[in-house]
Amino acid sequence: MTTPALLPLSGRRIPTLSPGASSFTHHRATLRLSEKFILLLILSAFITLCFGAFFFLPDNSKHKRFDLGLEDVLIPHIDSPKEGKHASGQVVIHGQGGHDEHRHRGRQEGAEQESLRDKIRADHERALQEAKEKLRKSREELQAEIQTEKNKVMEDLKKTNAGPKPLPPVPMPRVVGINDGEPPEPDVKEKRDKIREMMKHAWDSYRQYGWGYNELKPLAKKGHSTNIFGATIVDALDTLYIMGLHEEFKDGQEWIEQNLDFSVNAEVSVFEVNIRFIGGLLAAYYLSGQEVFKLKAVQLAEKLLPAFNTPTGIPWAMVNLKSGVGRNWGWASAGSSILAEFGTLHMEFVHLTYLTGNPAYYQKVMHIRKLLAKMDRPNGLYPNYLNPRTGRWGQHHTSVGGLGDSFYEYLLKAWLMSDKTDTEARKTYDDAIEAIERHLIRKSNGGLTFIGEWKNGHLERKMGHLACFAGGMFALGADGSPDDKAGHYLQLGAEIAHTCHESYDRTVLKLGPEAFKFDSGLEAVAVRQNEKYYILRPEVIETYWYMWRFTHDPKYRQWGWEAAQAIDKYCRVSGGFSGVKDVYSSTPTYDDVQQSFFLAETLKYLYLLFSSDDLMPLESWVFNTEAHPLPVLHLGNITLPGSEPAQR
């Protein structure tokens, strides 16, 4: 088996042996013996010199230590032995104070220095003893040792070239409701068939004009990519499978087997790669059982881990897949990481630990959760920016739309995906939603409930299309709400769904704008030209689907069908589907991009909206923020590597 290009050969660090080095002559053995003797003498002298110099080192107890008091926060996965919590919730390092502590610390450091001297003496004696033993050996014995070391190097190289280590066998989670779901009503079935035809048009156009590229330009009828390839293929796989388009699914699988390569020298978004590629590959694996998807997901995940090498353990926004060097977006509040990006890793990383047995993935995301739990939150709200170097919040801007949205979604879904055993995630979600409801959710003069954005101490009465997902989130989280608030949150979800439908209904095209305001007499309407576009986004339809599942109110299917008809009428072109630049214009211009999430999310949620509830039942599946379904882990008494047993 050849080693995939994704995995760097550790053997590259080992010098290769020339063909002539396989046999050693009498002369070479003599020369090596002399060299070894000289080297051992030099090594012995060097150790003796270092040992003597140790006693002339300055006493570090006389130097005051610069201590930020943030060891537990700024050093990932290391807990400080003197850690405690201030009344404010901030972590502090307790000190004893006074001369007693200084004397105690001095005695302690003196004992530590003596212990270190003893260790150096022991190491020195051991090195001298090993040198003497080497010099007593014959030339033949030394040759045999050299040959043994050579053989070991060659064995290591063989193991390295044998390919990636096979993943441990783990029980496949219960997979139910992955096909069919045909509705009993003929008119609903007709609508579902139409959605399937739209998916076929989008996929076939991409297959013909943009195959292997990230996304399709449907008017130009060509593909375009940024720095990694095949996003549409990976994003669309599970939708194809759920819709029963198995030939198309097979085409995508073959491309992934033969062409999906992560060894490129390219900088990628950790967030986007996680939700689209890792999420899409994991979902395809669970639906089809094909090992290639699991292996590719793990190969890619290994490439993301260097992004976590920051002083706080909060990952960089971007990482170079080849070098592992990370950095943040230049525009993000003085080099901060973004809440919705580093907070939208939990679902996929838990499944990676489950499938690989590697605790690193689970530990990375749990460290982020623990760090956030220790931090002060203004008004109980999570700002959208956090500096990965200092562990401090950036600009105090809080949003349930862009920059914040999926952080809250993943708190709830971590609880659901754990079979409702991760009560810490549920409590964090409940606390966050309580603060959001208190400070961000308002009702307009016209009676529309909306979610504003907190900026610099005041509420901006504007809601983004991205925030419309929250209606579905409130409905999904209603069951299990504290203080018997299930009915309240289901109603709140319905109100958000109504507001977002109004944002669609008040446009010419019956498609929603990117953002809409609630002031100056205008409600649920975009004001700025650069907020009037629709790029095939799924969030409103996502909320319709969740509300349908929990209420079976027929209006949600009606609203979903209105959106589907508008997309088919105004966004469909001969080469696929395109976004439009102005939903208030009767003659819109196209942006000429068929977004990969249109196939991953928008069409999937529409198809599920017109399917029966036994297709992808919510008791068994949790959808990531790119609509890739991951199974609930019914672990029972099994615990993830690196985790503590879950408490119900």
Side-chain angles (χ1 to χ4, degrees):
M1 186 188 300
T2 58
T3 304
L6 172 68
L7 298 173
L9 292 174
S10 58
R12 287 178 185 168
R13 298 180 183 176
I14 303 170
T16 55
L17 299 172
S18 64
S22 58
S23 62
F24 291 83
T25 63
H26 177 81
H27 172 72
R28 285 294 292 168
T30 306
L31 183 60
R32 286 184 181 278
L33 182 62
S34 303
E35 289 172 346
K36 184 166 283 194
F37 178 72
I38 294 169
L39 287 171
L40 287 169
L41 285 178
I42 294 171
L43 178 64
S44 176
F46 179 71
I47 293 173
T48 305
L49 181 64
C50 292
F51 179 72
F54 173 81
F55 294 96
F56 297 96
L57 291 173
D59 183 0
N60 62 4
S61 66
K62 297 177 183 177
H63 298 276
K64 188 169 182 179
R65 179 168 166 262
F66 180 66
D67 191 349
L68 291 175
L70 287 170
E71 289 96 330
D72 64 318
V73 172
L74 296 184
I75 305 175
H77 317 311
I78 302 297
D79 293 325
S80 171
K82 297 181 185 178
E83 174 181 287
K85 284 207 176 214
H86 191 270
S88 66
Q90 292 179 316
V91 176
V92 296
I93 306 298
H94 296 312
Q96 301 301 317
H99 297 290
D100 290 342
E101 181 189 6
H102 184 73
R103 286 197 297 271
H104 173 70
R105 189 176 294 171
R107 287 194 298 271
Q108 187 178 21
E109 291 177 351
E112 289 173 354
Q113 286 190 8
E114 185 60 37
S115 173
L116 185 58
R117 292 190 189 101
D118 291 342
K119 184 178 184 302
I120 292 173
R121 289 190 193 100
D123 291 343
H124 178 65
E125 291 295 331
R126 186 165 57 253
L128 288 177
Q129 186 62 32
E130 289 175 358
K132 289 176 184 177
E133 290 175 1
K134 290 285 184 187
L135 292 174
R136 291 193 193 105
K137 293 185 178 181
S138 67
R139 183 181 306 149
E140 290 74 16
E141 288 174 318
L142 289 172
Q143 280 183 320
E145 281 191 7
I146 292 169
Q147 188 62 43
T148 300
E149 288 299 318
K150 276 180 58 184
N151 292 339
K152 185 179 177 185
V153 168
M154 295 306 295
E155 281 298 316
D156 289 343
L157 283 172
K158 285 180 184 177
K159 289 178 182 177
T160 300
N161 292 327
K165 183 180 176 183
L167 298 176
V170 294
M172 175 70 92
R174 189 173 64 199
V175 175
V176 296
I178 60 175
N179 47 44
D180 196 21
E182 185 171 310
E185 307 91 342
D187 61 322
V188 178
K189 181 182 181 302
E190 186 179 341
K191 290 170 182 174
R192 188 174 91 137
D193 289 344
K194 174 59 181 176
I195 304 303
R196 192 172 183 267
E197 184 276 327
M198 290 169 67
M199 177 68 182
K200 190 93 166 59
H201 177 62
W203 174 265
D204 289 347
S205 298
Y206 170 78
R207 182 74 175 84
Q208 182 175 357
Y209 303 118
W211 190 240
Y213 287 90
N214 259 352
E215 290 171 327
L216 169 68
K217 295 176 75 66
L219 276 81
K221 293 186 177 179
K222 64 180 183 179
H224 80 93
S225 288
T226 48
N227 45 20
I228 192 170
F229 302 107
T232 293
I233 297 174
V234 178
D235 245 355
L237 278 173
D238 51 13
T239 306
L240 294 170
Y241 195 93
I242 291 167
M243 291 185 178
L245 296 171
H246 295 302
E247 287 301 315
E248 291 81 355
F249 180 89
K250 185 179 178 182
D251 286 345
Q253 179 179 338
E254 288 178 358
W255 186 90
I256 286 170
E257 288 173 336
Q258 298 168 14
N259 299 288
L260 189 57
D261 177 20
F262 305 121
S263 62
V264 291
N265 182 17
E267 197 173 50
V268 300
S269 161
V270 174
F271 164 75
E272 294 289 355
V273 164
N274 177 63
I275 66 171
R276 297 186 191 213
F277 282 83
I278 294 179
L281 290 166
L282 290 177
Y285 165 68
Y286 283 122
L287 289 169
S288 70
Q290 296 296 315
E291 289 284 319
V292 62
F293 300 125
K294 177 172 69 172
L295 293 173
K296 291 288 187 181
V298 173
Q299 289 172 2
L300 179 54
E302 289 172 351
K303 292 283 193 175
L304 298 187
L305 287 177
F308 292 82
N309 295 335
T310 66
T312 59
I314 296 293
W316 300 114
M318 292 174 287
V319 68
N320 186 292
L321 291 178
K322 191 160 191 170
S323 69
V325 175
R327 70 181 179 93
N328 275 345
W329 308 109
W331 51 264
S333 187
S336 291
S337 297
I338 295 167
L339 183 69
E341 296 194 340
F342 66 77
T344 309
L345 302 165
H346 190 100
M347 291 178 64
E348 298 82 3
F349 275 44
V350 165
H351 272 277
L352 287 167
T353 285
Y354 176 74
L355 292 173
T356 65
N358 181 357
Y361 302 107
Y362 176 81
Q363 290 170 345
K364 298 292 186 192
V365 291
M366 288 305 294
H367 173 74
I368 293 172
R369 184 190 293 181
K370 290 174 182 176
L371 185 149
L372 293 176
K374 293 173 181 176
M375 297 184 66
D376 277 338
R377 294 180 291 281
N379 297 316
L381 299 170
Y382 289 86
N384 290 337
Y385 302 105
L386 179 62
N387 192 301
R389 292 187 178 90
T390 65
R392 297 185 177 93
W393 296 118
Q395 176 189 358
H396 284 189
H397 171 207
T398 297
S399 168
V400 183
L403 308 178
D405 47 10
S406 47
F407 165 73
Y408 307 101
E409 174 187 359
Y410 269 41
L411 291 175
L412 172 63
K413 290 181 176 179
W415 174 69
L416 292 169
M417 199 179 73
S418 72
D419 199 16
K420 301 183 180 179
T421 60
D422 188 353
T423 53
E424 180 182 67
R426 177 74 214 209
K427 176 68 164 59
T428 308
Y429 168 79
D430 289 333
D431 292 345
I433 296 307
E434 183 183 347
I436 286 168
E437 197 170 3
R438 185 183 310 119
H439 297 288
L440 303 186
I441 296 180
R442 295 289 184 269
K443 197 172 284 269
S444 71
N445 293 333
L448 296 178
T449 301
F450 67 94
I451 310 173
E453 298 189 10
W454 190 265
K455 283 187 177 179
N456 302 318
H458 75 278
L459 183 70
E460 185 176 8
R461 297 171 66 86
K462 181 175 78 170
M463 185 171 176
H465 193 290
L466 289 167
C468 284
F469 91 98
M473 179 179 71
F474 293 142
L476 185 62
D479 185 29
S481 297
D483 305 322
D484 297 323
K485 285 188 173 180
H488 166 74
Y489 283 111
L490 195 60
Q491 177 60 29
L492 181 58
E495 291 176 12
I496 297 298
H498 173 66
T499 297
C500 293
H501 174 256
E502 286 297 308
S503 76
Y504 274 52
D505 201 46
R506 298 180 185 191
T507 70
V508 172
L509 303 186
K510 304 303 179 185
L511 293 170
E514 183 69 4
F516 40 95
K517 290 221 167 189
F518 295 87
D519 58 13
S520 304
L522 293 173
E523 296 192 357
V525 174
V527 176
R528 298 179 180 175
Q529 189 60 40
N530 63 359
E531 294 175 341
K532 294 181 178 180
Y533 59 87
Y534 174 71
I535 57 171
L536 307 171
R537 286 204 186 277
E539 291 78 21
V540 174
I541 295 165
E542 174 185 355
T543 280
Y544 294 165
W545 175 60
Y546 279 113
M547 293 307 303
W548 164 256
R549 278 285 175 101
F550 288 110
T551 69
H552 284 175
D553 188 328
K555 71 182 179 186
Y556 296 114
R557 278 184 167 171
Q558 177 190 334
W559 292 352
W561 184 240
E562 289 172 4
Q565 287 180 303
I567 292 169
D568 198 54
K569 182 176 181 179
Y570 295 109
C571 300
R572 184 172 185 143
V573 295
S574 62
F577 289 87
S578 171
V580 292
K581 295 182 178 179
D582 187 349
V583 293
Y584 300 96
S585 169
S586 58
T587 55
T589 54
Y590 297 107
D591 65 10
D592 198 18
V593 179
Q594 180 176 282
Q595 303 280 352
S596 77
F597 57 68
F598 177 63
L599 291 81
E601 301 184 72
T602 311
L603 292 174
K604 183 187 285 124
Y605 284 131
L606 280 169
Y607 187 78
L608 291 171
L609 179 61
F610 297 108
S611 299
S612 61
D613 291 0
D614 57 359
L615 180 62
M616 309 306 295
L618 292 174
E619 299 77 22
S620 301
W621 295 94
V622 184
F623 289 74
N624 87 340
T625 199
E626 191 80 1
H628 295 308
L630 299 175
V632 171
L633 291 174
H634 300 279
L635 296 177
N637 294 324
I638 303 172
T639 56
L640 291 170
S643 71
E644 297 176 358
Q647 299 292 322
R648 280 193 182 269

